[in-house]
Amino acid sequence: MDFSELTKARQSCRKYDATRAVEEEKLLRILEAGRLSPSACNGQPYHITVCRKESAAAVARAVSGMGMNKFAADVPVFLVLSERPYVASAALGARAKGNDYRSLDIGILAAYLTSAATEEGLSTCILGWFDDGSLRELCSLDAPVRLVIALGYAAADDPLRNKKRKALSELVSYCD
């Protein structure tokens, strides 16, 4: 699959096949893609906690408050992305420029992980609705959780949907 095909195939899955496990070799390739993602000063100010089996069920509960993300109960693997300290040069740059490089780096990481999953034939959903305290306790984390990625195989009856996006002219301008 080339990159153009990948961008058209990747979507936020809302219906997972709870009977189909994610193969270890695919998971490792996805995690390796994340490891190779770019970050400010190559600092990688994040940690990925892989939650499977009983811990996946606990994550599903932590992302399902107030009726949100009902599909999470069928997700076999969650990748919990938490924040880590900057390396010194990125911390200096963040202060000097007033830019939150950690959040940017975690967003790039999520893009790499979800793209690699799509290439492997898996589906993902990036979740920003979760109980941070519950996830920190479950994953033994001492830093904020920033995103959770649901990972698994889409159910057979979960078709590829047409993407609803702004027109390119609304998103892009040129400065020659």
Side-chain angles (χ1 to χ4, degrees), residues 82-109:
S82 57
E83 191 174 277
R84 287 294 184 258
Y86 284 119
V87 295
S89 55
L92 178 64
R95 277 193 304 274
K97 294 299 179 181
N99 210 342
D100 181 8
Y101 295 125
R102 271 189 297 227
S103 292
L104 298 171
D105 292 342
I106 290 169
I108 294 167
L109 171 67

Side-chain angles (χ1 to χ4, degrees), residues 21-152:
V22 173
E23 298 88 342
E24 187 68 18
E25 62 275 6
K26 289 185 177 186
L27 178 59
L28 289 174
R29 285 192 295 267
I30 293 164
L31 294 170
E32 178 65 8
R35 187 183 75 83
L36 295 174
S37 67
S39 63
C41 302
N42 293 319
Q44 298 176 296
Y46 43 73
H47 181 77
I48 306 166
T49 304
V50 179
C51 297
R52 301 182 279 197
K53 301 176 183 163
E54 293 84 24
S55 65
V59 172
R61 290 188 295 277
V63 301
S64 299
M66 297 178 65
M68 298 294 286
N69 303 319
K70 293 178 182 178
F71 61 87
D74 292 329
V75 175
V77 177
F78 287 97
L79 305 177
V80 177
L81 309 184
S82 57
E83 191 174 277
R84 287 294 184 258
Y86 284 119
V87 295
S89 55
L92 178 64
R95 277 193 304 274
K97 294 299 179 181
N99 210 342
D100 181 8
Y101 295 125
R102 271 189 297 227
S103 292
L104 298 171
D105 292 342
I106 290 169
I108 294 167
L109 171 67
Y112 270 61
L113 292 168
T114 57
S115 294
T118 301
E119 184 180 47
E120 293 290 342
L122 292 159
S123 294
T124 58
C125 188
I126 302 170
L127 307 173
W129 181 274
F130 50 80
D131 180 334
D132 181 68
S134 294
L135 291 177
R136 283 193 200 197
E137 184 177 335
L138 172 69
C139 300
S140 300
L141 299 170
D142 59 1
V145 173
R146 294 301 182 205
L147 292 173
V148 176
I149 299 175
L151 176 67

